[in-house]
Amino acid sequence: MNINRIFCIGKNYADHVAELAHLGHAADGECVVFMKPASCIVPVGEAIVLPKNVGSIHHEAELVVLLTGGGRDVQVEEALDCVAGVTLGLDLTLRDLQTQLKNKGKPWELAKAFDCAAPLGEFQPFLEQDLQALEFSCHVNGVLRQSGNTAQMLYSVARQISILSQTWSLQPGDAIYTGTPAGVGPLVAGDTVMLEGAGLGRHEWVCT
Ligand code: ZN
């Protein structure tokens, strides 16, 4: 299935919200919704070409779900019927620029929707496993950076689908980056970044 739209949920793990508090990012208990164009995707096997001279570029390791569709006003109880596949991806973020934009009340696209901003693993079929009990991790150059469990999400995947469907008619090929746990940090050219999780596969990229 080709990817149609990429929806992203921000501020969905309390420990990650807390680690950014010193940058003035408010912890108000509400998730943030933003989008990236599908042209940001970097499939496994291709290099992540990092932008130059843009300050810090952070990895955010996230569970990503692929939807079969769903349309408008999906109820939370039925939302997981819309899930076709699961994998892991990176919501790459220009952290310094994002902080500037946030503090000025400006949109985030420049910091979130740049070329190569959405490395995306290969989707695994959704086998009705509990999406709120998945452990996953991010290693950079073999060193553990992020370790999370989807049980820590503030907004469950089903709730995210329901929320998005109040604004958009969900279509086949829509994907959701579901937020990142603590441990975000910088990537630089030459780094190898690897994501893995039980039932979610193992996905690796080299940064140039
Ligand atoms: Zn994110």
Side-chain angles (χ1 to χ4, degrees), residues 77-159:
E77 298 74 24
E78 293 150 13
L80 296 185
D81 295 345
C82 307
V83 177
V86 293
T87 190
L88 295 166
L90 288 168
D91 166 18
L92 294 186
T93 304
L94 306 184
R95 189 69 67 200
D96 296 340
L97 181 57
Q98 183 201 28
T99 300
Q100 291 171 21
L101 294 169
K102 272 186 180 178
N103 291 342
K104 291 178 183 170
K106 291 185 174 179
W108 292 5
E109 275 85 353
L110 291 172
K112 287 284 198 180
F114 54 94
D115 284 353
C116 290
L120 181 62
E122 286 152 8
F123 280 102
Q124 323 286 312
F126 175 50
L127 303 172
E128 309 284 333
Q129 67 268 49
D130 183 356
L131 294 183
Q132 303 312 136
L134 300 175
E135 285 191 16
F136 62 100
S137 63
C138 172
H139 288 77
V140 176
N141 303 326
V143 177
L144 180 66
R145 290 274 188 93
Q146 292 186 267
S147 175
N149 189 305
T150 58
Q152 302 160 338
M153 283 184 183
L154 302 176
Y155 289 76
S156 68
V157 173
R159 223 173 135 202

Side-chain angles (χ1 to χ4, degrees), residues 5 8 14-15 18 20 23 29 31 42 47 49-50 61 65 80 84 93 95 97 112 121 126 143 157 168 174 184 198:
R5 296 174 292 191
C8 301
D15 59 355
L20 293 186
L23 297 176
C31 68
V42 184
V49 182
L50 298 174
V65 298
L80 296 185
T93 304
R95 189 69 67 200
L97 181 57
K112 287 284 198 180
F126 175 50
V143 177
V157 173
W168 293 277
D174 286 343
V184 300

Side-chain angles (χ1 to χ4, degrees), residues 170-186:
L170 298 177
Q171 300 171 355
D174 286 343
I176 307 172
Y177 280 60
T178 62
T180 197
V184 300

